[in-house]
Amino acid sequence: MKIMIIGVFGRAGSKIYQEALRRGHQVVGVAHRLHKRPQVTHLLVKDIRDLAKNDMSGLDAVIDAVGAWSPEGEAVHTDGLMHVISLLKGTKTRYFKVGAASTLYTDQNHRHQLQENPRYYPKYMQDLCLAHGLGLQLLKDSQAVDWTYVTPPYNFDPAGKVSGHYEVTGDEYLPAADPSEGVDDYISYADYAKGMLDIVENHPQFSSQVQR
């Protein structure tokens, strides 16, 4: 498969890139600036909002792994997302978004999300939570785009070991009294990358969110 990974130098993007290469896929990396690692053979140095339709030509899938941790960059989760899906609208290229645990629902009626729990997401994180929530809603409102929102659990460990195991569940999560008590609410970035590539390769048999 020919796969584009946006945010290829980020923590999630680099793990997904390495896993995609390991499986023999042809990978195009996108980054807003050049980094030393990982070494990306096919690289576009562009802001996500500057991508053009011809950049997407011949792709089977786009994995959007961009991340922003400051108010200045949070628009990548909304404006950047909207720009990419506008380029993919009406095409056969599938869009996979690395989601945020803050968007998981904490009730069966889907009226409340994890971001409302201050033990998990204190006040200073609410702007970022809002950006992720808006991005997910934009996807839900979009038309003529084949998308999948792949959510890691709250305990998402960049330094975690590879276990080779994960579970795919839905978009509801029952939080623990204390986030540190969520023993089963955990996945390493490496195992998440495996899950993401499994979903890309086996789509659409998986549900819309993945976590462990």
Side-chain angles (χ1 to χ4, degrees):
M1 297 174 65
K2 187 175 182 180
I3 301 171
M4 174 180 282
I5 301 174
I6 308 174
V8 70
F9 292 116
R11 287 180 171 181
S14 60
K15 293 292 186 183
I16 295 168
Y17 174 74
Q18 292 161 5
E19 180 68 13
L21 286 185
R22 189 186 69 80
R23 299 186 185 206
H25 295 296
Q26 182 181 353
V27 186
V28 178
V30 177
H32 72 283
R33 62 186 177 89
L34 190 61
H35 293 248
K36 292 182 178 180
R37 291 185 177 82
Q39 294 184 349
V40 179
T41 303
H42 301 287
L43 176 67
L44 289 175
V45 181
K46 279 189 174 185
D47 187 281
I48 185 174
R49 292 159 289 192
D50 294 329
L51 289 168
K53 206 167 185 66
N54 63 338
D55 294 326
M56 307 290 188
S57 178
L59 295 174
D60 296 294
V62 172
I63 300 175
D64 181 351
V66 295
W69 298 97
S70 66
E72 297 78 17
E74 288 167 3
V76 296
H77 298 299
T78 52
D79 297 347
L81 179 150
M82 280 297 293
H83 179 66
V84 173
I85 62 176
S86 72
L87 298 176
L88 298 180
K89 187 174 181 178
T91 72
K92 294 182 178 180
T93 303
R94 295 169 290 144
Y95 177 73
F96 298 85
K97 173 64 179 173
V98 175
S102 59
T103 64
L104 293 169
Y105 295 104
T106 55
D107 67 309
Q108 292 183 345
N109 295 322
H110 291 189
R111 294 177 181 173
H112 300 282
Q113 292 176 301
L114 188 59
Q115 70 183 56
E116 298 172 42
N117 188 323
R119 291 189 180 93
Y120 283 75
Y121 294 97
K123 187 175 181 179
Y124 77 91
M125 298 186 71
Q126 288 304 307
D127 284 346
L128 180 58
C129 290
L130 178 61
H132 280 293
L134 288 173
L136 177 56
Q137 190 59 51
L138 289 169
L139 279 175
K140 291 181 176 181
D141 293 340
S142 66
Q143 298 180 354
V145 178
D146 186 351
W147 62 270
T148 305
Y149 194 81
V150 186
T151 307
Y154 178 79
N155 292 304
F156 195 22
D157 185 0
K161 296 180 180 179
V162 179
S163 72
H165 301 287
Y166 63 89
E167 295 178 6
V168 177
T169 64
D171 52 7
E172 295 175 11
Y173 171 68
L174 182 62
D178 186 315
S180 63
E181 295 175 4
V183 177
D184 294 327
D185 174 34
Y186 172 89
I187 196 168
S188 68
Y189 275 58
D191 283 338
Y192 176 87
K194 178 185 185 320
M196 174 66 85
L197 265 296
D198 286 346
I199 291 170
V200 171
E201 292 175 347
N202 296 289
H203 178 86
Q205 76 178 60
F206 283 95
S207 59
S208 61
Q209 302 204 21
V210 59
Q211 57 178 312
R212 188 187 188 286

